[in-house]
Amino acid sequence: MQDDKLKCLGERLRQLRIARHEMQQRFADRLGVSRPTLGRMESGDPGVSIGAWVKALELLDRLDEFDLLLAPGENLFEKYEQESAPRRKRVSRKLG
């Protein structure tokens, strides 16, 4: 399953590079990696450093998506406790 995810990620990187009309060598130069390393990224090689992926996201104007990788999820137990907790009612004071 991990291999499938990485291959899909690499393929999306390749498609985005091609959509931007960038040759592999030029994109690799901008990325600061060798052309073979970019080829490994595009083929889903798990040995490519995370730093190269972060730089690729930056070059593709998608760095904000990196924050979504391990974003905190919704805790359903906490949500249930908050919703089922008794709520204090505010007593209105009448002047007079």
Side-chain angles (χ1 to χ4, degrees):
M1 185 157 102
Q2 170 190 345
D3 290 342
D4 292 340
K5 297 285 185 187
L6 289 173
K7 285 180 183 177
C8 288
L9 182 64
E11 181 58 28
R12 287 194 304 270
L13 174 64
R14 182 179 163 283
Q15 290 171 356
L16 288 168
R17 175 184 59 78
I18 291 170
R20 295 169 74 101
H21 306 288
E22 285 204 58
M23 300 297 290
Q24 233 182 5
Q25 185 61 57
R26 176 163 160 56
F27 193 75
D29 290 343
R30 293 181 57 219
L31 194 53
V33 300
S34 66
R35 197 215 46 79
T37 297
L38 176 57
R40 289 176 39 226
M41 290 173 76
E42 291 182 352
S43 67
D45 185 326
V48 178
S49 78
I50 189 86
W53 282 102
V54 170
K55 182 66 177 175
L57 288 170
E58 182 180 24
L59 289 176
L60 297 169
D61 298 321
R62 305 216 21 205
L63 188 56
D64 56 328
E65 294 177 27
F66 186 74
D67 290 335
L68 301 175
L69 289 177
L70 295 175
E74 183 178 41
N75 186 327
L76 296 178
F77 292 110
E78 286 180 14
K79 185 176 180 179
Y80 173 76
E81 287 175 1
Q82 288 174 354
E83 289 177 357
S84 63
R87 297 177 189 224
R88 295 177 61 186
K89 293 184 179 179
R90 188 171 193 178
V91 178
S92 64
R93 294 185 187 176
K94 293 185 180 179
L95 297 174

